[in-house]
Amino acid sequence: MSRSGGDDLSEPAEPSAHTAHVPPARSGASSHRLPRLLAALCDRLPEDRIAVLEQLLDTVNGPDDPLLSRFSAAQSAAGLAQQLSEVIRVWRIEVPGMTGAGLALALATARSFPRPGPAQVAVSGPMSASIPARLTSGVALEVIRSADTSLLIASFAAHGAENVVTEIRRAVDRGVRVDLLLEESTQAAAAFAALPDHVHIWHRVGSSGVLHAKLIAADRHTALLGSANLTDRALSDNIELGVVLRDPHLLDPLVDHFHWLLAPENNVMRLA
């Protein structure tokens, strides 16, 4: 992406409190807060939203640019306006001479370094500003879209949720294997009747218990676990809580466990 701005960061002579400089690399020993705040934004926002923020930063002159404060105030996601306001405040304190283009470059740099993603909170129902969180319905779609080879989806109940069904169909169209683990007593499979026949629908063997898990796992890189079933109300209106995991050390055994459940020799699940 193009970068603009007039600061010459190559002039090291005679530094002053107002000389523009790039914040130091992320480090636990660093006394600067701005790099950590930028990394937190990268952890929270999907890549397309980060790109929008970078494009905005390219157009502003510094932390006191009115365009930036208006953009921050307009954010509706819970806690995001406060998070951006804190970035602006610390930018003003730590590197007041840095242009928006410089901060955009720092943000792009933080985004470019691969690292295990942190856990992320997903909620349904009313959203407060107490913790950074995203609505379960949007997170579920994002996880499904991220699958390259496989999707493991488990739900006790399912009805409506047409956007979820549409995204699963798109995953199938791009060659993703889809395994749906559904509770038979709730007739959850009916919600997915429009999907192709080669989508694998599984029910529990026997009647000693029910399938009550709620899971969407994309390959082995991302999984949404929570209380929400795949229903319209659970994904948006009910008070539900979930977490998105992106740590392969957690996801590998989780996916392996569900593969074990599906193995015919273990007689736990059967194809519908």
Side-chain angles (χ1 to χ4, degrees):
M1 79 183 57
S2 63
R3 302 290 178 197
S4 59
D7 282 7
D8 184 356
L9 304 183
S10 64
E11 296 283 344
E14 299 181 357
S16 70
H18 298 288
T19 300
H21 62 283
V22 176
R26 296 177 69 201
S27 168
S30 171
S31 61
H32 291 267
R33 293 190 58 216
L34 189 57
R36 295 193 291 275
L37 291 173
L38 295 179
L41 277 176
C42 290
D43 289 341
R44 173 177 184 169
L45 297 176
E47 191 158 336
D48 59 335
R49 296 287 302 282
I50 291 292
V52 169
L53 180 56
E54 290 171 9
Q55 291 169 7
L56 172 75
L57 288 169
D58 267 335
T59 69
V60 304
N61 294 320
D64 295 313
D65 193 302
L67 182 64
L68 188 60
S69 58
R70 288 197 297 270
F71 175 84
S72 174
Q75 302 307 304
S76 59
L80 182 56
Q82 294 91 328
Q83 195 172 358
L84 289 170
S85 295
E86 182 65 5
V87 169
I88 296 168
R89 187 186 73 82
V90 174
W91 178 9
R92 186 181 298 117
I93 292 171
E94 293 187 351
V95 281
M98 175 178 280
T99 65
L103 197 67
L105 181 59
L107 188 59
T109 301
R111 178 164 60 95
S112 69
F113 280 98
R115 61 191 185 278
Q120 178 187 37
V121 174
V123 301
S124 302
M127 298 180 70
S128 74
S130 301
I131 53 174
R134 296 179 59 208
L135 193 63
T136 307
S137 56
V139 174
L141 298 179
E142 184 177 294
V143 174
I144 295 170
R145 290 184 191 122
S146 73
D148 294 319
T149 60
S150 65
L151 273 170
L152 275 170
I153 299 177
S155 188
F156 174 74
H159 54 79
E162 293 180 3
N163 289 339
V164 169
V165 177
T166 297
E167 285 303 330
I168 293 174
R169 174 180 286 278
R170 289 173 178 165
V172 172
D173 290 344
R174 63 177 183 267
V176 175
R177 176 190 168 103
V178 177
D179 289 285
L180 297 174
L181 288 71
L182 304 171
E183 171 54 31
E184 188 172 15
S185 67
T186 64
Q187 292 82 50
F192 305 99
L195 293 176
D197 292 339
H198 53 279
V199 169
H200 303 84
I201 295 179
W202 301 83
H203 291 150
R204 183 165 181 179
V205 172
S207 58
S208 58
V210 299
L211 187 147
H212 206 251
K214 291 89 175 179
L215 166 73
I216 303 176
D219 306 328
R220 291 174 177 264
H221 58 69
T222 310
L224 169 62
L225 295 80
S227 62
N229 286 302
L230 293 179
T231 70
D232 292 332
R233 292 185 62 183
L235 293 173
S236 298
D237 299 326
N238 295 349
I239 295 178
E240 308 277 3
L241 179 64
V243 63
V244 181
L245 301 178
R246 297 186 177 89
D247 186 342
H249 292 96
L250 296 174
L251 290 177
D252 278 344
L254 175 67
V255 172
D256 287 343
H257 171 68
F258 275 85
H259 284 169
W260 181 89
L261 293 174
L262 299 182
E265 61 270 22
N266 295 321
N267 199 38
V268 177
M269 305 294 297
R270 59 177 173 81
L271 283 168

